[in-house]
Amino acid sequence: MSTSMDFTPEQEEVLTAIRVTEAVVAVLASSAVVFSFARFPELRKPNFALVFWLCMADIGANVAYSVGAPADGGLACIAQGVAVTFFDLSSVWWTFLIGYKLYRSIVKQEVELHTFERTLKMHALVWGSSFVAALLPLTTHNYGDAGAWCWISADSYNQGTGTMWRFAIFYVPIWCVAFATSVHYYAIIRALRGFSSMQHFAGTAQQERLARLARQLQLYPLIFVVSWTMITIVRVYNTIKPHQPLYWLTVLQVLFSPMSMQVLIGPNYHYIGPQTGLNH
C-alpha cells in the first residue's frame, strides 16, 4: 500500500476499499454493455462501436483502480498511474465522440460514410493522444502516491511539475470536453423535442419514445459534469494546500467519481444506438 503522509493508514484503507469496490462494480456494468455488443448483431454497427470502445476504456481504468494502492515509487505504482491516466483520458475522448456523432446525426441530419481509414484515424487520435499524455509525467518522475492510489504525485508540487501535468494533460482537456459535450447534448435534446412536437407524431408511440429519449439524454452530460466537478474541486484545493488535505472531501471525491456515476448509466448505454441513430 502507498505510504502517504497526508492520511493515516486506516483512512487510506477506507478510501482504497471504496475505490476498489466501485471499480469492480463498474467493470461489471461496462461488461454488460460489452456483452450486449457481442451478443446482439444488430448492435454491431460502426457508430455504436463508440459505446463499445468507451466501455473498454472504462474497464481498463477500473481494472487499474482495482489493484488498490501499490507502494509509492515502485514499478506497480508507476504502472497504475500511467494506466489510470491513459484509460481515463481515452474514456473522456470516447464520450466526446459519442456526443459529437449524435449531434451530427440528429441535429445536422448528416449521414457519415464509414471507412476503415476513418476508423483507424479515430482510434489513432483517441488512443494515441491519451498514450502520449500518459507518458509525459514520466519525463519529470511525477507518478507516485496520490493519496489512496497512485497517479500524478503531489510530492512534486514544490517544483510545480505535478500541478502542471495534472491540469495541462488532464483537467483542462476534461473540462473542454465537458463544455463541448453539454453544448452537443443541449442541441440534441432540443432537436428531439422539436421532432416529438411535430403534428404527424402527435399521440403516437414514436412521440412518447422521442420525449422519453430526450429526458434520458439529459442525464448523460449532467452525470459527466457532476462526477468530474468533485474531483476537480479536490485537486484545486490540493494545489492550494498540497499538504493539508481534507479527508471528508477526498471521501466525497471517491464516492462521486466517474466510475461510480458510470454504474448508474453503464447498463443503459445499449438503448442509445437503436433510438438515436448511433446504429446507422
Side-chain angles (χ1 to χ4, degrees):
M1 185 172 188
S2 65
T3 56
S4 170
M5 294 184 296
D6 298 330
F7 299 125
T8 66
E10 291 77 16
Q11 288 175 327
E12 283 201 7
E13 287 179 4
V14 172
L15 291 172
T16 301
I18 297 173
R19 177 70 84 180
V20 171
T21 300
E22 286 180 337
V24 172
V25 175
V27 166
L28 295 176
S30 293
S31 297
V33 180
V34 172
F35 172 79
S36 297
F37 185 84
R39 174 66 178 81
F40 302 106
E42 61 270 21
L43 295 181
R44 276 175 262 155
K45 306 295 182 180
N47 276 338
F48 191 71
L50 298 177
V51 178
F52 170 82
W53 290 113
L54 168 63
C55 290
M56 293 301 294
D58 286 337
I59 289 173
N62 289 315
V63 168
Y65 281 118
S66 68
V67 302
D72 186 25
L75 182 60
C77 182
I78 295 174
Q80 184 187 49
V82 172
V84 165
T85 303
F86 171 69
F87 285 113
D88 271 348
L89 282 175
S90 299
S91 177
V92 168
W93 291 125
W94 287 121
T95 299
F96 167 76
L97 283 175
I98 290 172
Y100 177 67
K101 296 285 188 178
L102 283 172
Y103 173 80
R104 291 185 59 185
S105 175
I106 296 175
V107 179
K108 296 297 185 179
Q109 295 289 296
E110 296 178 358
V111 178
E112 184 178 1
L113 296 177
H114 301 281
T115 65
F116 177 77
E117 183 180 359
R118 287 188 177 183
T119 301
L120 190 62
K121 287 181 179 179
M122 180 178 63
H123 279 273
L125 178 62
V126 172
W127 301 116
S129 63
S130 300
F131 182 69
V132 171
L135 292 182
L136 289 176
L138 288 173
T139 64
T140 50
H141 308 286
N142 276 114
Y143 281 118
D145 174 35
W149 54 89
C150 292
W151 191 50
I152 301 174
S153 176
D155 292 340
S156 297
Y157 276 144
N158 292 334
Q159 302 173 359
T161 53
T163 301
M164 178 189 70
W165 291 131
R166 284 185 170 187
F167 287 93
I169 70 172
F170 204 76
Y171 290 111
V172 170
I174 282 173
W175 282 105
C176 288
V177 168
F179 175 77
T181 300
S182 297
V183 171
H184 287 152
Y185 275 90
Y186 175 76
I188 292 165
I189 292 167
R190 284 193 63 183
L192 289 173
R193 287 175 174 168
F195 296 151
S196 67
S197 64
M198 291 181 179
Q199 186 173 2
H200 61 277
F201 281 144
T204 65
Q206 181 68 7
Q207 181 185 41
E208 176 57 30
R209 281 195 296 269
L210 289 171
R212 185 170 61 250
L213 180 59
R215 292 192 298 269
Q216 182 184 15
L217 288 177
Q218 290 177 354
L219 295 176
Y220 291 87
L222 178 62
I223 289 174
F224 185 90
V225 169
V226 168
S227 62
W228 286 109
T229 294
M230 184 55 64
I231 295 177
T232 305
I233 289 173
V234 172
R235 295 309 183 189
V236 170
Y237 176 84
N238 289 343
T239 300
I240 299 172
K241 297 184 177 180
H243 299 294
Q244 301 177 43
L246 296 176
Y247 179 67
W248 65 268
L249 192 60
T250 306
V251 171
L252 290 179
Q253 171 194 351
V254 176
L255 290 175
F256 287 91
S257 67
M259 70 175 68
S260 63
M261 297 292 125
Q262 173 192 333
V263 174
L264 299 177
I265 64 175
N268 295 318
Y269 267 127
H270 68 281
Y271 292 113
I272 296 179
Q275 298 187 69
T276 62
L278 269 183
N279 59 336
H280 288 174

